[in-house]
Amino acid sequence: MRILVTGGAGYVGSHVVRALKRAEHSILVVDDLSTGSAAFAERNGVELLEGDVGDAAFLDSVFSDHTIDLVVHCAGLAVVGESVREPDRYFAVNTVGGFVLLEAMRRHAVTRIVFSSTCSVYGVPDSLPVTEETPTRPVTPYGASKLAFEQMMSGYARAYGFRALALRYFNVGGASTEGDLGDLNASGTRLIPNLLGAARRQEPFSVFGHNYPTRDGTGERDYLHVEDLARAHAQAVARLDIVDPLGFGGALNLGMGRGYTVREVLAEVENQLSETLLVREVPRRPGDPPALVADASLAGRILGFRADHDLASIVRSARVFEERERQPGGLLFERERQLQVQVASGETSLRLGEAVVKAGFVDQEGVDKALDIQRDRDGVGEPHQLLGLILLETGAISSAQLIRALRSIGRG
């Protein structure tokens, strides 16, 4: 089949593209490259069209100029905390942008779609494991924006004959077996990259909450290797014309089916690095559930899905990718170098600390903590040149947020 993959130059999307190529599909990628990388499309050997999924005219040109049989929709915003600060962006991109995509598909008679959704649609479940029958009660704009698009797909399936399937995956991690695809974005939300970053910088890692009702008091999550997730998307494509998504609610859970606590993941990282990480226990984050574990048995029965990778494989592949791409010329090396240039060149009246607080990316307390680290390192209170890198290193802001803040400074 000729498949359009939105967000196919991103972390999850690039792995989905590779899994679909292995299944001998012909792939076209659409991505605005806000968090993705053209290098991933190049490494996958697929055509990339740079553009916004929310741009109806752009999509019309894509569907008019290419024969498309099916869409795999991976594009969207996916940082939970950011969605709380910027709900307008999340509903605009994830929900309204999704509507624009569905309408473009309808105009061009493309009626098959697989959607890369999230377990965040469930919010804080009353019991575990989480099944597809668990009530959907999202507690963040991120989860709500994804659920709204799921409901939109269901409506189009009933009214216009779409075949639509949502895949609700739990905590994704890891990188490609080849070591050439992985997570480029320091969003501050994924545990394993944050642990590896803390080890690299020789700085304390913050454990949020140590008195949860779990095995060791820390939060427990179901981790899924990104290659297992990508393969599930390929299985969904293969089965979409065989199964009736409306017959089972139109959504499937994807996870390993067992949980690991923060301390257990920390121990695996320490084991593979052969070093002990510095740890700082801090209070729980509001709204964080004690545990989230998937029941993926329905996906097993319908798609033949199973998780082949374990936690050790997830950590190992993430570590190999990061080590490779932090070498000179690597994607992480080049991204950090470019950010350093942007940070150092911002000679403006508005300091970065003021810009990130004004944008709602971090509160003043977070900026003050970064300034303390800056003074400890250099003994002086420099302006935003170093502060931006510290905020990025500590996970206080993402690389995308840093770029947006720097641009706002440039307009000041």
Side-chain angles (χ1 to χ4, degrees):
M1 278 191 289
R2 178 72 171 173
I3 299 175
L4 173 65
V5 181
T6 71
Y11 173 42
V12 171
S14 62
H15 286 85
V16 170
V17 166
R18 183 161 295 179
L20 291 170
K21 281 201 68 180
R22 285 174 176 160
E24 300 186 343
H25 295 292
S26 177
I27 309 300
L28 175 67
V29 168
V30 163
D31 201 300
D32 67 2
L33 301 183
S34 57
T35 58
S37 171
F40 284 169
E42 183 178 345
R43 291 174 184 183
N44 275 328
V46 296
E47 182 181 359
L48 166 66
L49 299 178
E50 186 176 351
D52 183 357
V53 172
D55 183 338
F58 168 70
L59 289 181
D60 278 335
S61 69
V62 172
F63 284 105
S64 295
D65 296 344
H66 302 81
T67 300
I68 305 296
D69 301 309
L70 183 148
V71 173
V72 177
H73 184 32
C74 298
L77 301 176
V79 180
V80 173
E82 182 181 68
S83 79
V84 176
R85 297 188 295 269
E86 301 180 70
D88 56 333
R89 288 184 65 228
Y90 274 71
F91 285 110
V93 173
N94 294 350
T95 309
V96 178
F99 167 72
V100 173
L101 173 64
L102 289 178
E103 280 294 281
M105 291 174 63
R106 187 158 74 103
R107 284 193 299 276
H108 295 272
V110 179
T111 57
R112 291 181 285 182
I113 181 170
V114 173
F115 175 44
S116 196
S117 191
T118 172
C119 68
S120 290
V121 300
Y122 295 113
V124 182
D126 295 327
S127 60
L128 297 177
V130 177
T131 73
E132 289 80 3
E133 300 300 316
T134 299
T136 49
R137 297 181 301 222
V139 295
T140 66
Y142 168 59
S145 67
K146 288 281 198 172
L147 180 60
F149 183 69
E150 284 191 21
Q151 293 167 336
M152 215 180 293
M153 288 200 312
S154 178
Y156 275 59
R158 296 181 189 280
Y160 307 126
F162 274 50
R163 299 191 74 84
L165 178 58
L167 302 178
R168 297 170 176 168
Y169 62 88
F170 283 59
N171 291 55
V172 64
S176 65
T177 302
E178 297 83 355
D180 61 341
L181 303 175
D183 189 0
L184 293 176
N185 297 291
S187 64
T189 60
R190 291 194 178 103
L191 176 60
I192 293 168
N194 286 343
L195 286 168
L196 293 172
R200 185 180 68 255
R201 297 186 300 270
Q202 293 295 298
E203 293 179 354
F205 176 78
S206 295
V207 175
F208 293 91
H210 54 85
N211 57 355
Y212 286 111
T214 59
R215 291 182 292 280
D216 56 24
T218 60
E220 181 180 357
R221 297 292 183 268
D222 190 331
Y223 293 90
L224 179 65
H225 196 290
V226 67
E227 288 191 328
D228 287 331
L229 173 61
R231 192 176 66 256
H233 283 72
Q235 291 171 320
V237 166
R239 300 283 294 174
L240 192 59
D241 286 338
I242 301 171
V243 302
D244 177 17
L246 288 176
F248 55 84
L252 295 171
N253 289 344
L254 299 176
M256 198 182 296
R258 65 152 296 177
Y260 292 92
T261 68
V262 173
R263 286 282 184 183
E264 288 168 344
V265 178
L266 168 64
E268 180 60 38
V269 170
E270 290 179 328
N271 177 59
Q272 293 197 24
L273 296 178
S274 299
E275 63 179 273
T276 300
L277 273 67
L278 302 172
V279 172
R280 177 175 56 221
E281 292 183 343
V282 296
R284 300 181 185 184
R285 290 176 294 201
D288 271 1
L292 281 176
V293 180
D295 179 346
S297 58
L298 185 59
R301 294 194 298 273
I302 291 176
L303 303 181
F305 167 78
R306 73 174 186 216
D308 290 337
H309 294 270
D310 59 10
L311 178 64
S313 175
I314 293 173
V315 173
R316 186 181 309 111
S317 60
R319 179 173 53 82
V320 168
F321 172 77
E322 180 164 312
E323 290 174 353
R324 166 184 163 143
E325 298 300 335
R326 287 197 180 279
Q327 297 299 314
L331 295 178
L332 289 170
F333 177 89
E334 289 300 320
R335 179 163 290 198
E336 186 166 312
R337 184 184 64 81
Q338 290 168 8
L339 283 172
Q340 288 173 340
V341 171
Q342 287 179 289
V343 170
S345 64
E347 296 296 337
T348 63
S349 59
L350 180 62
R351 290 178 180 273
L352 180 63
E354 296 171 354
V356 295
V357 171
K358 183 178 180 180
F361 298 152
V362 65
D363 59 20
Q364 188 59 49
E365 182 181 357
V367 171
D368 291 342
K369 288 180 180 178
L371 286 169
D372 288 341
I373 296 173
Q374 176 181 294
R375 294 185 187 98
D376 288 342
R377 289 182 179 179
D378 298 328
V380 295
E382 289 188 26
H384 57 268
Q385 280 91 332
L386 182 58
L387 176 62
L389 298 180
I390 294 173
L391 287 169
L392 189 65
E393 284 180 2
T394 56
I397 60 174
S398 68
S399 55
Q401 288 172 334
L402 177 55
I403 292 170
R404 287 177 61 201
L406 288 168
R407 286 174 178 167
S408 73
I409 292 172
R411 293 191 296 266

